Amino acid sequence: MSKEKVTLRVHDVLIKGNTKTKDSLIEAEVESLLKNVTSMQELLQAAQIANARLQNLDIFDSINITLDSGPPELPGTANVVIQVVETKNPLTGDFGIFSKPEARSWSLEGSLKLKNILGYGDIWDGSFAYGWDQASEISTGVTLPRFKGLANPVTARLMLLSQDWLKFSSYKERLMGISVGLISTRQHDLAYNLTWRTLTDPSQMSSRPIRAQLGHSLLSSLKYTFKIDRRDSPLRPTQGYAFVSTSHIGGLAPDSRCLRFLRQQEFDLRYAFPLGFYKAALNFGVSVGVIFPWGSGFRNMPSPLPERFFLGGHSSPVCTLGGPTTLLGFKTRGLGPTEPRRLIPEKSDNENSAASPGRDVLGGDVAITAFADLSFNLPLKLFREAGIHGHLFACAGNLNKLTENEYRNFSFQKFKDSFRSSAGFGVIVPTKLFRMEVNYCYILKQLEHDRGKTGVQFSFSSPL
């Protein structure tokens, strides 16, 4: 088309093919885009954006937007015709089995979705995850993209979660609650959570700091997330940057059992730099997190145990934007402050005294991790076509306690000197069912009671 501007405005938007979907939903997604154009070039661009918005609703099999001339008595106008084909099968499902070799555990996960039952683009879903020896979850929720003319999507979710941390920290956690999305845009997300939490110790061997936090508590909190992701791929970025900041405030209820804390849960920065050969790219990242209680006498109070930061695990730091968590080469909850478990004579008589009673990982109130990763194509064409590639990496991280007046003993020099670190290389195999990493990790530095190990390590994760 000629670059010369062709004056044009939209006279009407005609919607066809929707038998269940409300006209108001489609109009809300596209009308503001199409009604404000002043030229043919702007109209074509707006039509592309409108098509993408309707596709994102995930309730149509196909969308076709065509332009027609307006009424003869109104020259310089056009009608926009939106032809949609609604999804024939509103029920979809996904199932998979995932492994965490560092924790020697597997999980069976699945979800079901019902789409557009009410005609408002509503998506009803139920999901479950059953983890052998660690976590199980059942949840159900609904998402309404533009309910009754509201500009922001409406989301609500009920969940029941059980997590077993006996092996690492001598407690089990059970959560039951509801989450309501208040604001959800491309870059901003604000949600309210109301959760009843129970911590128990069936082993009766937990250390004193763990025993002090056992029992029931109420979590009434607001969580705000700001996210920018300009990377060309979330799985194998070769250029661009990403930034995520998540703030979490708990204690928004008068109940004395309500957990009161301020948590800068995530502060993630990622940057990918292309090198120009073999699709090679350098990825750098840093993650920081801080938590602190608030309220009367907060300086002497401990932070809530499950809200603390725990480092370790074999998840890819390149793909993970979830705060300071991953440190390759270290097992799940594999470093940080620990306390000896309570010794029960009847149980310890039949055990090796050197291995009993073990230690509880307590987590930290401040944590930081950083990494550098060089990814590159492998020389064989077969590997390149399958997306199989190699990488070299180096990781470092640390965490420390600040609460219960420990901030008075905090020293930046000691914190820097106690950083743990690792380096290595590996191969990444992406498939439609899972993403597998096979890495050789070499522990450069670890402290007493850390659980880092030099050797080959496997990791399986979702392909998305």
Side-chain angles (χ1 to χ4, degrees):
M1 177 177 288
S2 172
K3 294 183 179 180
E4 183 179 352
K5 185 175 181 179
V6 179
T7 303
L8 189 70
R9 65 180 181 86
V10 174
H11 173 259
D12 199 5
V13 177
L14 306 176
I15 302 171
K16 299 180 180 180
N18 57 317
T19 57
K20 182 184 295 185
T21 308
K22 309 294 185 184
D23 286 351
S24 59
L25 172 65
I26 300 176
E27 290 170 354
E29 292 291 331
V30 305
E31 199 165 27
S32 61
L33 284 170
L34 300 175
K35 288 292 187 179
N36 294 326
V37 301
T38 59
S39 67
M40 176 63 77
Q41 291 84 348
E42 289 181 4
L43 181 55
L44 293 176
Q45 293 177 356
Q48 291 179 345
I49 298 174
N51 191 301
R53 284 187 178 182
L54 294 176
Q55 291 283 3
N56 288 337
L57 293 176
D58 199 25
I59 60 174
F60 301 118
D61 284 338
S62 67
I63 302 165
N64 187 28
I65 299 180
T66 58
L67 308 181
D68 198 2
S69 58
E73 63 272 17
L74 296 175
T77 64
N79 291 331
V80 178
V81 182
I82 301 177
Q83 182 76 42
V84 299
V85 176
E86 294 176 334
T87 300
K88 294 180 180 179
N89 184 9
L91 180 64
T92 60
D94 294 301
F95 297 91
I97 297 179
F98 301 97
S99 167
K100 292 184 177 180
E102 73 274 15
R104 296 183 180 179
S105 66
W106 294 77
S107 64
L108 173 64
E109 301 177 13
S111 65
L112 289 174
K113 288 184 179 180
L114 274 172
K115 302 178 182 179
N116 208 24
I117 302 302
L118 303 179
Y120 292 101
D122 46 294
I123 296 181
W124 304 77
D125 74 280
S127 63
F128 75 91
Y130 179 78
W132 285 268
D133 299 328
Q134 194 163 349
S136 299
E137 179 180 8
I138 299 176
S139 65
T140 183
V142 61
T143 300
L144 297 165
R146 287 184 180 268
F147 183 67
K148 297 294 185 179
L150 294 177
N152 291 305
V154 175
T155 62
R157 189 161 205 87
L158 291 168
M159 64 91 180
L160 177 63
L161 172 65
S162 176
Q163 296 190 95
D164 185 346
W165 299 109
L166 283 173
K167 179 180 177 181
F168 307 102
S169 303
S170 295
Y171 73 89
K172 285 188 175 183
E173 178 184 16
R174 178 172 292 180
L175 302 170
M176 181 174 61
I178 184 172
S179 174
V180 179
L182 304 176
I183 297 175
S184 182
T185 65
R186 187 174 182 179
Q187 295 181 346
H188 305 275
D189 189 87
L190 179 65
Y192 172 75
N193 298 283
L194 182 64
T195 304
W196 185 252
R197 172 183 284 156
T198 304
L199 301 183
T200 60
D201 173 25
S203 70
Q204 299 183 350
M205 294 180 63
S206 57
S207 58
R208 183 172 296 178
I210 300 294
R211 293 199 303 273
Q213 301 217 15
L214 299 179
H216 303 288
S217 58
L218 179 67
L219 177 61
S220 175
S221 65
L222 278 174
K223 187 176 182 179
Y224 169 71
T225 301
F226 174 74
K227 181 177 181 179
I228 298 177
D229 195 342
R230 299 285 187 266
R231 299 174 299 173
D232 56 353
S233 169
L235 296 179
R236 189 188 175 185
T238 58
Q239 61 180 356
Y241 64 92
F243 173 77
V244 176
S245 174
T246 299
S247 300
H248 197 180
I249 178 171
L252 307 180
D255 195 298
S256 61
R257 291 168 294 184
C258 189
L259 300 176
R260 290 179 168 85
F261 62 89
L262 294 170
R263 190 178 198 261
Q264 183 61 37
Q265 182 175 350
E266 300 170 15
F267 186 91
D268 284 295
L269 181 63
R270 302 284 188 271
Y271 185 79
F273 179 75
L275 300 182
F277 59 90
Y278 283 101
K279 202 180 176 180
L282 273 173
N283 277 268
F284 302 95
V286 61
S287 301
V288 180
V290 178
I291 181 173
F292 218 81
W294 65 273
S296 178
F298 71 94
R299 291 184 178 88
N300 301 318
M301 296 166 53
S303 56
L305 178 63
E307 304 299 333
R308 296 176 187 170
F309 299 95
F310 296 89
L311 300 186
H314 299 167
S315 301
S316 170
V318 177
C319 305
T320 305
L321 281 171
T325 54
T326 299
L327 196 60
L328 294 177
F330 291 82
K331 295 183 178 181
T332 300
R333 297 195 175 194
L335 64 149
T338 62
E339 282 287 336
R341 293 171 179 163
R342 181 166 56 176
L343 180 63
I344 301 179
E346 309 86 74
K347 293 187 178 182
S348 63
D349 288 343
N350 299 325
E351 297 177 4
N352 185 339
S353 59
S356 177
R359 303 183 70 89
D360 285 333
V361 181
L362 304 180
D365 302 313
V366 57
I368 182 171
T369 59
F371 76 90
D373 184 280
L374 171 63
S375 62
F376 50 88
N377 278 344
L378 297 175
L380 293 180
K381 182 179 180 182
L382 177 65
F383 290 161
R384 292 197 302 269
E385 292 177 348
I388 300 173
H389 59 282
H391 73 136
L392 305 172
F393 61 85
C395 305
N398 198 7
L399 72 169
N400 211 336
K401 184 178 180 180
L402 296 178
T403 53
E404 297 179 291
N405 289 312
E406 284 295 324
Y407 67 92
R408 297 176 178 175
N409 302 322
F410 182 80
S411 165
F412 283 102
Q413 184 63 39
K414 291 181 180 179
F415 189 70
K416 180 177 72 69
D417 292 341
S418 60
F419 259 74
R420 285 74 152 181
S421 56
S422 64
F425 58 90
V427 176
I428 300 171
V429 183
T431 71
K432 293 182 179 180
L433 299 178
F434 58 85
R435 180 181 185 274
M436 180 179 72
E437 284 194 28
V438 183
N439 294 321
Y440 178 83
C441 298
Y442 181 80
I443 303 299
L444 298 174
K445 183 177 181 179
Q446 64 176 322
L447 303 184
E448 186 182 8
H449 306 308
D450 289 347
R451 294 185 299 120
K453 183 180 179 181
T454 294
V456 177
Q457 298 168 346
F458 295 84
S459 175
F460 296 86
S461 59
S462 170
L464 301 178

